[in-house]
Amino acid sequence: MTSALVTGGAGFLGSHLIEALLKKGYLVYCLDNLYTGHLSNLEKVLDRIVFYKQDVQNPLPKVKVDVIFHLACPASPVHYQKDELFTINTSYFGTYNVLELAREINSEVIFTSTSEIYGDPVVHPQSESYFGNVNTLGPRSCYDEGKRAAETLCYIYHKKYAVPVKIVRIFNTYGPRMSLNDGRVVSNFIVKALRNEPLTVFGSGEQTRAFCYVDDLIEGLLRIHEYKRNFEVFNLGNDNEITVNKLAQMVIQLTGSKSHIVFNQSLEDDPFRRRPDLTKIKKAIGWEAKINLEEGLKKTIEYFRSVLTCES
Ligand code: UDP
């Protein structure tokens, strides 16, 4: 039986990944300190996995698995800026521990990196060969530089110890099980719209992102895992770029909300444009996102509607 360890498995992406791995017949181990993840995300599968409540910064349990999906790290700006030292330590020491374990047990590592490693890009769209434009001394640095150092660790462990590693630079992703309070734009807008409260746009709202629905992203992660190479870097996401203003209007329209839009000060170092160049993954693996923004937003709105109904 193929086995996998998922770090950060109780989080938004981790819990969806675990369900997909179980469907494929994997034996699944999950490790999470529940800093931003929730056991409720694993409700449906908890009796079918082995769960370790543990911080990835501490030495990992010596489980023998075929692959480690390393997701553990606070990932939304609000969460990763809460304790910057904790974030950068999680990135560096967590990845170090994962790579050490992989070396010892001969497993593959799928490291989930981020589009943030491109910073506020001056090249558009961003392909894997772009080195990025990152501030080392700002509110996003703990995450961006932590992930960049972790990528470098992956590269070193592959070069020095032949650990098979795939680095996946994940772009903005949304869908059911995003936290109500993680501050991301999609969840913020939907929750506010459902409550008929004003949607706050930071800055002019002309900044862009490209949003990928979670099911597409998980499919992409699995396809990258199946790709027979010992070291590779891929962007993963959806390349349909829209402005934050347009997103706000879409959410208001799709929820039928009475909310209006208000503008607030722009955030420091907020990237102005972001869109993945997906040429590499399309060519190598034939993967591309299938779910368009309207369809994905409708599913996500349904999810948040049920969460808010349960809460009230
Ligand atoms: N944003 C916004 N209102 C919000 C939350 C975010 O205008 O309530 C903007 C934010 O300034 C950024 C974009 O939406 O330009 C995406 O923010 P998010 O935190 O979702 O992810 P990021 O891509 O910045 O990590």
Side-chain angles (χ1 to χ4, degrees):
M1 193 182 210
T2 319
S3 53
L5 168 65
V6 180
T7 75
F12 161 49
L13 294 182
S15 61
H16 284 281
L17 175 63
I18 286 176
E19 283 176 10
L21 289 168
L22 287 172
K23 258 193 208 138
K24 281 185 167 284
Y26 278 61
L27 172 62
V28 178
Y29 299 84
C30 165
L31 184 137
D32 203 303
N33 61 0
L34 304 181
Y35 182 77
T36 56
H38 303 278
L39 271 186
S40 57
N41 287 339
L42 296 171
E43 219 163 44
K44 286 192 263 172
V45 297
L46 207 51
D47 56 347
R48 286 188 284 151
I49 63 174
V50 180
F51 179 77
Y52 300 94
K53 183 180 177 307
Q54 198 198 299
D55 196 303
V56 76
Q57 291 181 56
N58 298 325
L60 303 177
K62 300 262 176 288
V63 285
K64 176 90 187 80
V65 290
D66 302 293
V67 56
I68 305 173
F69 288 90
H70 177 35
L71 280 68
C73 191
S76 82
V78 166
H79 283 154
Y80 70 63
Q81 289 172 22
K82 206 162 79 185
D83 185 345
E84 293 161 297
L85 191 58
F86 176 78
T87 298
I88 196 163
N89 281 342
T90 300
S91 243
Y92 185 85
F93 294 113
T95 307
Y96 172 81
N97 284 337
V98 163
L99 290 164
E100 272 296 307
L101 176 64
R103 175 160 89 100
E104 203 178 317
I105 64 173
N106 279 319
S107 85
E108 183 193 21
V109 174
I110 308 291
F111 171 58
T112 58
S113 184
T114 168
S115 53
E116 283 285 320
I117 67 109
Y118 299 121
D120 188 6
V122 293
V123 168
H124 193 78
Q126 296 78 53
S127 76
E128 290 84 350
S129 59
Y130 177 45
F131 291 167
N133 176 39
V134 178
N135 180 7
T136 57
L137 308 172
R140 301 176 90 105
S141 310
C142 59
Y143 185 67
D144 301 9
E145 294 296 347
K147 287 286 188 179
R148 287 172 69 94
E151 284 200 5
T152 307
L153 273 177
C154 290
Y155 163 77
I156 294 169
Y157 268 71
H158 175 68
K159 207 163 110 177
K160 195 170 162 79
Y161 303 118
V163 173
V165 185
K166 287 164 192 141
I167 296 169
V168 188
R169 295 178 180 156
I170 295 179
F171 283 65
N172 295 67
T173 304
Y174 69 100
R177 296 203 199 121
M178 294 180 91
S179 294
L180 272 178
N181 62 350
D182 76 1
R184 284 195 170 101
V185 69
V186 172
S187 44
N188 272 8
F189 282 0
I190 292 178
V191 170
K192 296 230 167 105
L194 290 175
R195 290 178 170 152
N196 292 311
E197 292 170 3
L199 274 54
T200 308
V201 167
F202 298 129
S204 67
E206 287 308 295
Q207 68 269 39
T208 66
R209 296 292 187 271
F211 297 96
C212 184
Y213 188 68
V214 61
D215 291 358
D216 279 333
L217 193 103
I218 299 301
E219 170 69 17
L221 269 182
L222 293 175
R223 295 279 296 276
I224 289 171
H225 162 48
E226 283 158 12
Y227 185 57
K228 300 270 171 265
R229 287 286 193 286
N230 281 330
F231 187 84
E232 209 63 68
V233 184
F234 286 112
N235 284 339
L236 188 62
N238 188 315
D239 55 6
N240 176 25
E241 181 184 2
I242 71 161
T243 65
V244 169
N245 283 331
K246 183 87 204 325
L247 177 73
Q249 287 154 11
M250 267 183 95
V251 169
I252 289 174
Q253 188 238 321
L254 292 173
T255 49
S257 171
K258 296 188 188 71
S259 297
H260 59 278
I261 298 171
V262 296
F263 290 87
N264 214 328
Q265 247 187 344
S266 61
L267 304 175
E268 193 181 338
D269 291 339
D270 198 0
F272 192 68
R273 289 193 80 182
R274 180 187 289 160
R275 169 159 61 97
D277 181 333
L278 298 170
T279 312
K280 186 173 173 185
I281 190 164
K282 278 182 194 159
K283 230 170 144 182
I285 299 181
W287 174 90
E288 62 186 317
K290 296 193 193 91
I291 299 170
N292 71 34
L293 187 58
E294 182 169 333
E295 198 184 340
L297 283 177
K298 282 183 182 162
K299 290 172 194 262
T300 313
I301 289 166
E302 276 328 295
Y303 167 77
F304 278 113
R305 217 188 276 281
S306 68
V307 171
L308 295 178
T309 311
C310 290
E311 275 195 346
S312 61

PDB file of all heavy atoms in Angstrom, residues 75-77 80 115-116 140 172 182-186 188-189 192 200-203 207-209 211 244 267 270-271 274, ligand 1:
ATOM      1  N   ALA A  75      -0.238  30.395   6.229  1.00  0.00           N
ATOM      2  CA  ALA A  75      -0.092  30.808   4.831  1.00  0.00           C
ATOM      3  C   ALA A  75      -0.850  32.077   4.446  1.00  0.00           C
ATOM      4  O   ALA A  75      -0.578  32.644   3.388  1.00  0.00           O
ATOM      5  CB  ALA A  75      -0.511  29.666   3.906  1.00  0.00           C
ATOM      6  N   SER A  76      -1.780  32.524   5.262  1.00  0.00           N
ATOM      7  CA  SER A  76      -2.460  33.764   4.865  1.00  0.00           C
ATOM      8  C   SER A  76      -1.736  34.935   5.526  1.00  0.00           C
ATOM      9  O   SER A  76      -1.200  34.795   6.631  1.00  0.00           O
ATOM     10  CB  SER A  76      -3.931  33.742   5.281  1.00  0.00           C
ATOM     11  OG  SER A  76      -4.056  34.111   6.637  1.00  0.00           O
ATOM     12  N   PRO A  77      -1.697  36.098   4.864  1.00  0.00           N
ATOM     13  CA  PRO A  77      -0.959  37.230   5.430  1.00  0.00           C
ATOM     14  C   PRO A  77      -1.319  37.520   6.891  1.00  0.00           C
ATOM     15  O   PRO A  77      -0.435  37.739   7.722  1.00  0.00           O
ATOM     16  CB  PRO A  77      -1.317  38.386   4.498  1.00  0.00           C
ATOM     17  CG  PRO A  77      -1.573  37.723   3.182  1.00  0.00           C
ATOM     18  CD  PRO A  77      -2.218  36.407   3.514  1.00  0.00           C
ATOM     19  N   TYR A  80       0.300  34.617   8.974  1.00  0.00           N
ATOM     20  CA  TYR A  80       1.764  34.506   9.022  1.00  0.00           C
ATOM     21  C   TYR A  80       2.433  35.745   9.598  1.00  0.00           C
ATOM     22  O   TYR A  80       3.582  35.698  10.011  1.00  0.00           O
ATOM     23  CB  TYR A  80       2.366  34.058   7.675  1.00  0.00           C
ATOM     24  CG  TYR A  80       2.353  35.011   6.500  1.00  0.00           C
ATOM     25  CD1 TYR A  80       3.044  36.216   6.517  1.00  0.00           C
ATOM     26  CD2 TYR A  80       1.718  34.651   5.312  1.00  0.00           C
ATOM     27  CE1 TYR A  80       3.063  37.057   5.420  1.00  0.00           C
ATOM     28  CE2 TYR A  80       1.725  35.492   4.204  1.00  0.00           C
ATOM     29  CZ  TYR A  80       2.394  36.695   4.262  1.00  0.00           C
ATOM     30  OH  TYR A  80       2.416  37.527   3.168  1.00  0.00           O
ATOM     31  N   SER A 115       3.621  31.510  -4.503  1.00  0.00           N
ATOM     32  CA  SER A 115       3.836  32.603  -5.459  1.00  0.00           C
ATOM     33  C   SER A 115       4.499  33.794  -4.766  1.00  0.00           C
ATOM     34  O   SER A 115       5.060  34.670  -5.433  1.00  0.00           O
ATOM     35  CB  SER A 115       2.499  33.048  -6.044  1.00  0.00           C
ATOM     36  OG  SER A 115       1.596  33.356  -5.002  1.00  0.00           O
ATOM     37  N   GLU A 116       4.411  33.839  -3.435  1.00  0.00           N
ATOM     38  CA  GLU A 116       5.044  34.935  -2.683  1.00  0.00           C
ATOM     39  C   GLU A 116       6.551  34.975  -2.877  1.00  0.00           C
ATOM     40  O   GLU A 116       7.184  35.992  -2.607  1.00  0.00           O
ATOM     41  CB  GLU A 116       4.752  34.782  -1.187  1.00  0.00           C
ATOM     42  CG  GLU A 116       3.365  35.211  -0.777  1.00  0.00           C
ATOM     43  CD  GLU A 116       3.173  36.721  -0.725  1.00  0.00           C
ATOM     44  OE1 GLU A 116       4.077  37.431  -0.282  1.00  0.00           O
ATOM     45  OE2 GLU A 116       2.108  37.169  -1.154  1.00  0.00           O
ATOM     46  N   ARG A 140       5.871  41.034   4.978  1.00  0.00           N
ATOM     47  CA  ARG A 140       5.688  39.748   4.304  1.00  0.00           C
ATOM     48  C   ARG A 140       6.970  38.929   4.284  1.00  0.00           C
ATOM     49  O   ARG A 140       6.975  37.770   3.850  1.00  0.00           O
ATOM     50  CB  ARG A 140       5.190  39.970   2.867  1.00  0.00           C
ATOM     51  CG  ARG A 140       3.872  40.722   2.797  1.00  0.00           C
ATOM     52  CD  ARG A 140       3.454  41.025   1.372  1.00  0.00           C
ATOM     53  NE  ARG A 140       2.648  39.972   0.800  1.00  0.00           N
ATOM     54  CZ  ARG A 140       1.310  40.050   0.627  1.00  0.00           C
ATOM     55  NH1 ARG A 140       0.648  41.115   0.984  1.00  0.00           N
ATOM     56  NH2 ARG A 140       0.654  39.043   0.091  1.00  0.00           N
ATOM     57  N   ASN A 172      -2.734  31.907  -5.494  1.00  0.00           N
ATOM     58  CA  ASN A 172      -3.964  32.080  -4.687  1.00  0.00           C
ATOM     59  C   ASN A 172      -4.989  30.978  -4.948  1.00  0.00           C
ATOM     60  O   ASN A 172      -5.361  30.730  -6.097  1.00  0.00           O
ATOM     61  CB  ASN A 172      -4.602  33.433  -5.015  1.00  0.00           C
ATOM     62  CG  ASN A 172      -3.709  34.576  -4.581  1.00  0.00           C
ATOM     63  OD1 ASN A 172      -2.627  34.779  -5.139  1.00  0.00           O
ATOM     64  ND2 ASN A 172      -4.132  35.309  -3.584  1.00  0.00           N
ATOM     65  N   ASP A 182      -9.269  34.061   8.250  1.00  0.00           N
ATOM     66  CA  ASP A 182      -7.844  34.094   7.869  1.00  0.00           C
ATOM     67  C   ASP A 182      -7.482  35.332   7.059  1.00  0.00           C
ATOM     68  O   ASP A 182      -6.329  35.501   6.680  1.00  0.00           O
ATOM     69  CB  ASP A 182      -7.384  32.781   7.210  1.00  0.00           C
ATOM     70  CG  ASP A 182      -7.848  32.633   5.784  1.00  0.00           C
ATOM     71  OD1 ASP A 182      -8.522  33.531   5.261  1.00  0.00           O
ATOM     72  OD2 ASP A 182      -7.523  31.590   5.192  1.00  0.00           O
ATOM     73  N   GLY A 183      -8.469  36.180   6.789  1.00  0.00           N
ATOM     74  CA  GLY A 183      -8.179  37.484   6.204  1.00  0.00           C
ATOM     75  C   GLY A 183      -7.962  37.477   4.707  1.00  0.00           C
ATOM     76  O   GLY A 183      -7.660  38.508   4.116  1.00  0.00           O
ATOM     77  N   ARG A 184      -8.109  36.317   4.083  1.00  0.00           N
ATOM     78  CA  ARG A 184      -7.887  36.291   2.633  1.00  0.00           C
ATOM     79  C   ARG A 184      -9.040  36.974   1.915  1.00  0.00           C
ATOM     80  O   ARG A 184     -10.169  37.014   2.402  1.00  0.00           O
ATOM     81  CB  ARG A 184      -7.764  34.854   2.155  1.00  0.00           C
ATOM     82  CG  ARG A 184      -6.439  34.236   2.490  1.00  0.00           C
ATOM     83  CD  ARG A 184      -6.293  32.985   1.670  1.00  0.00           C
ATOM     84  NE  ARG A 184      -4.967  32.460   1.758  1.00  0.00           N
ATOM     85  CZ  ARG A 184      -4.632  31.433   2.532  1.00  0.00           C
ATOM     86  NH1 ARG A 184      -5.526  30.865   3.291  1.00  0.00           N
ATOM     87  NH2 ARG A 184      -3.401  30.989   2.533  1.00  0.00           N
ATOM     88  N   VAL A 185      -8.735  37.452   0.726  1.00  0.00           N
ATOM     89  CA  VAL A 185      -9.715  38.299   0.050  1.00  0.00           C
ATOM     90  C   VAL A 185     -10.994  37.541  -0.293  1.00  0.00           C
ATOM     91  O   VAL A 185     -12.100  38.062  -0.116  1.00  0.00           O
ATOM     92  CB  VAL A 185      -9.076  38.998  -1.183  1.00  0.00           C
ATOM     93  CG1 VAL A 185      -8.750  38.023  -2.311  1.00  0.00           C
ATOM     94  CG2 VAL A 185      -9.956  40.108  -1.677  1.00  0.00           C
ATOM     95  N   VAL A 186     -10.873  36.292  -0.758  1.00  0.00           N
ATOM     96  CA  VAL A 186     -12.088  35.569  -1.170  1.00  0.00           C
ATOM     97  C   VAL A 186     -12.983  35.295   0.037  1.00  0.00           C
ATOM     98  O   VAL A 186     -14.190  35.577   0.014  1.00  0.00           O
ATOM     99  CB  VAL A 186     -11.733  34.250  -1.907  1.00  0.00           C
ATOM    100  CG1 VAL A 186     -12.994  33.425  -2.149  1.00  0.00           C
ATOM    101  CG2 VAL A 186     -11.039  34.550  -3.233  1.00  0.00           C
ATOM    102  N   ASN A 188     -12.915  36.792   3.033  1.00  0.00           N
ATOM    103  CA  ASN A 188     -13.389  38.076   3.579  1.00  0.00           C
ATOM    104  C   ASN A 188     -14.594  38.596   2.803  1.00  0.00           C
ATOM    105  O   ASN A 188     -15.608  38.973   3.387  1.00  0.00           O
ATOM    106  CB  ASN A 188     -12.287  39.144   3.482  1.00  0.00           C
ATOM    107  CG  ASN A 188     -11.386  39.148   4.704  1.00  0.00           C
ATOM    108  OD1 ASN A 188     -11.486  38.278   5.555  1.00  0.00           O
ATOM    109  ND2 ASN A 188     -10.504  40.122   4.784  1.00  0.00           N
ATOM    110  N   PHE A 189     -14.456  38.639   1.484  1.00  0.00           N
ATOM    111  CA  PHE A 189     -15.531  39.226   0.660  1.00  0.00           C
ATOM    112  C   PHE A 189     -16.813  38.392   0.782  1.00  0.00           C
ATOM    113  O   PHE A 189     -17.906  38.943   0.936  1.00  0.00           O
ATOM    114  CB  PHE A 189     -15.101  39.312  -0.812  1.00  0.00           C
ATOM    115  CG  PHE A 189     -14.164  40.470  -1.111  1.00  0.00           C
ATOM    116  CD1 PHE A 189     -13.762  41.356  -0.117  1.00  0.00           C
ATOM    117  CD2 PHE A 189     -13.685  40.678  -2.402  1.00  0.00           C
ATOM    118  CE1 PHE A 189     -12.899  42.415  -0.390  1.00  0.00           C
ATOM    119  CE2 PHE A 189     -12.826  41.738  -2.701  1.00  0.00           C
ATOM    120  CZ  PHE A 189     -12.429  42.607  -1.690  1.00  0.00           C
ATOM    121  N   LYS A 192     -18.420  38.795   4.312  1.00  0.00           N
ATOM    122  CA  LYS A 192     -19.024  40.131   4.478  1.00  0.00           C
ATOM    123  C   LYS A 192     -20.277  40.261   3.605  1.00  0.00           C
ATOM    124  O   LYS A 192     -21.289  40.815   4.042  1.00  0.00           O
ATOM    125  CB  LYS A 192     -18.008  41.215   4.116  1.00  0.00           C
ATOM    126  CG  LYS A 192     -16.803  41.196   5.066  1.00  0.00           C
ATOM    127  CD  LYS A 192     -16.507  42.561   5.622  1.00  0.00           C
ATOM    128  CE  LYS A 192     -15.539  42.496   6.784  1.00  0.00           C
ATOM    129  NZ  LYS A 192     -14.185  42.928   6.462  1.00  0.00           N
ATOM    130  N   THR A 200     -14.286  45.500   2.246  1.00  0.00           N
ATOM    131  CA  THR A 200     -13.167  46.448   2.291  1.00  0.00           C
ATOM    132  C   THR A 200     -12.123  46.088   1.244  1.00  0.00           C
ATOM    133  O   THR A 200     -11.578  44.979   1.254  1.00  0.00           O
ATOM    134  CB  THR A 200     -12.507  46.421   3.687  1.00  0.00           C
ATOM    135  OG1 THR A 200     -13.524  46.613   4.653  1.00  0.00           O
ATOM    136  CG2 THR A 200     -11.461  47.508   3.819  1.00  0.00           C
ATOM    137  N   VAL A 201     -11.865  47.036   0.362  1.00  0.00           N
ATOM    138  CA  VAL A 201     -10.806  46.872  -0.636  1.00  0.00           C
ATOM    139  C   VAL A 201      -9.600  47.670  -0.173  1.00  0.00           C
ATOM    140  O   VAL A 201      -9.722  48.847   0.156  1.00  0.00           O
ATOM    141  CB  VAL A 201     -11.289  47.367  -2.021  1.00  0.00           C
ATOM    142  CG1 VAL A 201     -10.135  47.502  -2.992  1.00  0.00           C
ATOM    143  CG2 VAL A 201     -12.349  46.429  -2.577  1.00  0.00           C
ATOM    144  N   PHE A 202      -8.444  47.018  -0.134  1.00  0.00           N
ATOM    145  CA  PHE A 202      -7.215  47.720   0.271  1.00  0.00           C
ATOM    146  C   PHE A 202      -6.573  48.361  -0.960  1.00  0.00           C
ATOM    147  O   PHE A 202      -6.349  47.686  -1.963  1.00  0.00           O
ATOM    148  CB  PHE A 202      -6.233  46.752   0.929  1.00  0.00           C
ATOM    149  CG  PHE A 202      -6.775  46.121   2.188  1.00  0.00           C
ATOM    150  CD1 PHE A 202      -6.743  44.746   2.375  1.00  0.00           C
ATOM    151  CD2 PHE A 202      -7.327  46.905   3.198  1.00  0.00           C
ATOM    152  CE1 PHE A 202      -7.245  44.171   3.531  1.00  0.00           C
ATOM    153  CE2 PHE A 202      -7.837  46.334   4.363  1.00  0.00           C
ATOM    154  CZ  PHE A 202      -7.798  44.962   4.531  1.00  0.00           C
ATOM    155  N   GLY A 203      -6.269  49.665  -0.859  1.00  0.00           N
ATOM    156  CA  GLY A 203      -5.653  50.369  -1.987  1.00  0.00           C
ATOM    157  C   GLY A 203      -6.702  50.687  -3.036  1.00  0.00           C
ATOM    158  O   GLY A 203      -7.899  50.807  -2.739  1.00  0.00           O
ATOM    159  N   GLN A 207      -5.173  46.195  -8.075  1.00  0.00           N
ATOM    160  CA  GLN A 207      -4.198  45.096  -8.003  1.00  0.00           C
ATOM    161  C   GLN A 207      -4.879  43.797  -8.447  1.00  0.00           C
ATOM    162  O   GLN A 207      -6.098  43.665  -8.311  1.00  0.00           O
ATOM    163  CB  GLN A 207      -3.596  44.957  -6.590  1.00  0.00           C
ATOM    164  CG  GLN A 207      -4.536  44.494  -5.489  1.00  0.00           C
ATOM    165  CD  GLN A 207      -5.219  45.644  -4.763  1.00  0.00           C
ATOM    166  OE1 GLN A 207      -5.599  46.625  -5.386  1.00  0.00           O
ATOM    167  NE2 GLN A 207      -5.416  45.503  -3.461  1.00  0.00           N
ATOM    168  N   THR A 208      -4.095  42.888  -8.973  1.00  0.00           N
ATOM    169  CA  THR A 208      -4.689  41.659  -9.532  1.00  0.00           C
ATOM    170  C   THR A 208      -4.178  40.402  -8.826  1.00  0.00           C
ATOM    171  O   THR A 208      -3.100  40.387  -8.240  1.00  0.00           O
ATOM    172  CB  THR A 208      -4.350  41.507 -11.033  1.00  0.00           C
ATOM    173  OG1 THR A 208      -2.930  41.291 -11.160  1.00  0.00           O
ATOM    174  CG2 THR A 208      -4.793  42.708 -11.836  1.00  0.00           C
ATOM    175  N   ARG A 209      -5.005  39.366  -8.926  1.00  0.00           N
ATOM    176  CA  ARG A 209      -4.633  38.014  -8.531  1.00  0.00           C
ATOM    177  C   ARG A 209      -5.315  37.075  -9.534  1.00  0.00           C
ATOM    178  O   ARG A 209      -6.215  37.488 -10.265  1.00  0.00           O
ATOM    179  CB  ARG A 209      -5.122  37.667  -7.116  1.00  0.00           C
ATOM    180  CG  ARG A 209      -4.526  38.494  -5.981  1.00  0.00           C
ATOM    181  CD  ARG A 209      -3.053  38.214  -5.763  1.00  0.00           C
ATOM    182  NE  ARG A 209      -2.542  38.886  -4.566  1.00  0.00           N
ATOM    183  CZ  ARG A 209      -2.042  40.126  -4.557  1.00  0.00           C
ATOM    184  NH1 ARG A 209      -1.982  40.841  -5.662  1.00  0.00           N
ATOM    185  NH2 ARG A 209      -1.586  40.641  -3.427  1.00  0.00           N
ATOM    186  N   PHE A 211      -7.214  33.317  -9.277  1.00  0.00           N
ATOM    187  CA  PHE A 211      -7.681  32.433  -8.200  1.00  0.00           C
ATOM    188  C   PHE A 211      -7.966  31.030  -8.709  1.00  0.00           C
ATOM    189  O   PHE A 211      -8.687  30.838  -9.689  1.00  0.00           O
ATOM    190  CB  PHE A 211      -8.945  33.027  -7.566  1.00  0.00           C
ATOM    191  CG  PHE A 211      -8.694  34.354  -6.914  1.00  0.00           C
ATOM    192  CD1 PHE A 211      -8.952  35.545  -7.591  1.00  0.00           C
ATOM    193  CD2 PHE A 211      -8.168  34.430  -5.625  1.00  0.00           C
ATOM    194  CE1 PHE A 211      -8.710  36.777  -7.005  1.00  0.00           C
ATOM    195  CE2 PHE A 211      -7.918  35.658  -5.028  1.00  0.00           C
ATOM    196  CZ  PHE A 211      -8.196  36.835  -5.723  1.00  0.00           C
ATOM    197  N   VAL A 244      -8.987  43.080  -7.857  1.00  0.00           N
ATOM    198  CA  VAL A 244      -9.710  42.912  -6.596  1.00  0.00           C
ATOM    199  C   VAL A 244     -11.082  43.598  -6.689  1.00  0.00           C
ATOM    200  O   VAL A 244     -12.082  43.078  -6.196  1.00  0.00           O
ATOM    201  CB  VAL A 244      -8.849  43.454  -5.429  1.00  0.00           C
ATOM    202  CG1 VAL A 244      -9.655  43.559  -4.146  1.00  0.00           C
ATOM    203  CG2 VAL A 244      -7.630  42.551  -5.218  1.00  0.00           C
ATOM    204  N   LEU A 267      -2.010  47.880   1.616  1.00  0.00           N
ATOM    205  CA  LEU A 267      -1.129  47.163   2.534  1.00  0.00           C
ATOM    206  C   LEU A 267       0.315  47.307   2.070  1.00  0.00           C
ATOM    207  O   LEU A 267       0.585  47.318   0.860  1.00  0.00           O
ATOM    208  CB  LEU A 267      -1.508  45.673   2.566  1.00  0.00           C
ATOM    209  CG  LEU A 267      -2.956  45.347   2.933  1.00  0.00           C
ATOM    210  CD1 LEU A 267      -3.206  43.841   2.806  1.00  0.00           C
ATOM    211  CD2 LEU A 267      -3.255  45.813   4.360  1.00  0.00           C
ATOM    212  N   ASP A 270       2.159  44.975  -0.731  1.00  0.00           N
ATOM    213  CA  ASP A 270       1.119  44.174  -1.393  1.00  0.00           C
ATOM    214  C   ASP A 270       1.468  44.046  -2.883  1.00  0.00           C
ATOM    215  O   ASP A 270       1.562  45.066  -3.579  1.00  0.00           O
ATOM    216  CB  ASP A 270      -0.225  44.916  -1.230  1.00  0.00           C
ATOM    217  CG  ASP A 270      -1.426  44.028  -1.477  1.00  0.00           C
ATOM    218  OD1 ASP A 270      -1.232  42.838  -1.782  1.00  0.00           O
ATOM    219  OD2 ASP A 270      -2.562  44.536  -1.358  1.00  0.00           O
ATOM    220  N   PRO A 271       1.696  42.845  -3.387  1.00  0.00           N
ATOM    221  CA  PRO A 271       2.045  42.721  -4.813  1.00  0.00           C
ATOM    222  C   PRO A 271       0.963  43.329  -5.708  1.00  0.00           C
ATOM    223  O   PRO A 271      -0.221  43.103  -5.476  1.00  0.00           O
ATOM    224  CB  PRO A 271       2.132  41.203  -5.025  1.00  0.00           C
ATOM    225  CG  PRO A 271       2.405  40.637  -3.666  1.00  0.00           C
ATOM    226  CD  PRO A 271       1.700  41.540  -2.700  1.00  0.00           C
ATOM    227  N   ARG A 274      -0.239  39.756 -10.121  1.00  0.00           N
ATOM    228  CA  ARG A 274       0.241  38.376  -9.954  1.00  0.00           C
ATOM    229  C   ARG A 274      -0.563  37.452 -10.870  1.00  0.00           C
ATOM    230  O   ARG A 274      -1.780  37.455 -10.852  1.00  0.00           O
ATOM    231  CB  ARG A 274       0.082  37.932  -8.501  1.00  0.00           C
ATOM    232  CG  ARG A 274       0.571  36.515  -8.280  1.00  0.00           C
ATOM    233  CD  ARG A 274       0.261  36.022  -6.893  1.00  0.00           C
ATOM    234  NE  ARG A 274       1.069  36.669  -5.879  1.00  0.00           N
ATOM    235  CZ  ARG A 274       0.708  36.689  -4.592  1.00  0.00           C
ATOM    236  NH1 ARG A 274      -0.411  36.133  -4.193  1.00  0.00           N
ATOM    237  NH2 ARG A 274       1.486  37.273  -3.720  1.00  0.00           N
TER     238      ARG A 274
HETATM  239  N1  UDP B   1      -7.589  42.351  -0.056  1.00  0.00           N
HETATM  240  C1  UDP B   1      -8.606  43.296   0.010  1.00  0.00           C
HETATM  241  N2  UDP B   1      -9.547  43.171   0.993  1.00  0.00           N
HETATM  242  C2  UDP B   1      -9.522  42.142   1.897  1.00  0.00           C
HETATM  243  C3  UDP B   1      -8.476  41.201   1.829  1.00  0.00           C
HETATM  244  C4  UDP B   1      -7.516  41.347   0.842  1.00  0.00           C
HETATM  245  O1  UDP B   1      -8.664  44.239  -0.779  1.00  0.00           O
HETATM  246  O2  UDP B   1     -10.430  42.085   2.746  1.00  0.00           O
HETATM  247  C5  UDP B   1      -6.592  42.458  -1.147  1.00  0.00           C
HETATM  248  C6  UDP B   1      -5.148  42.462  -0.672  1.00  0.00           C
HETATM  249  O3  UDP B   1      -4.727  43.768  -0.408  1.00  0.00           O
HETATM  250  C7  UDP B   1      -4.448  41.838  -1.881  1.00  0.00           C
HETATM  251  C8  UDP B   1      -5.468  40.880  -2.476  1.00  0.00           C
HETATM  252  O4  UDP B   1      -6.727  41.295  -1.947  1.00  0.00           O
HETATM  253  O5  UDP B   1      -4.144  42.818  -2.841  1.00  0.00           O
HETATM  254  C9  UDP B   1      -5.236  39.424  -2.114  1.00  0.00           C
HETATM  255  O6  UDP B   1      -5.064  39.334  -0.727  1.00  0.00           O
HETATM  256  P1  UDP B   1      -4.970  37.944   0.048  1.00  0.00           P
HETATM  257  O7  UDP B   1      -4.708  38.280   1.475  1.00  0.00           O
HETATM  258  O8  UDP B   1      -6.160  37.103  -0.236  1.00  0.00           O
HETATM  259  O9  UDP B   1      -3.754  37.167  -0.587  1.00  0.00           O
HETATM  260  P2  UDP B   1      -2.293  37.574  -1.090  1.00  0.00           P
HETATM  261  O10 UDP B   1      -2.290  37.230  -2.518  1.00  0.00           O
HETATM  262  O11 UDP B   1      -2.060  39.049  -0.867  1.00  0.00           O
HETATM  263  O12 UDP B   1      -1.382  36.756  -0.260  1.00  0.00           O
END
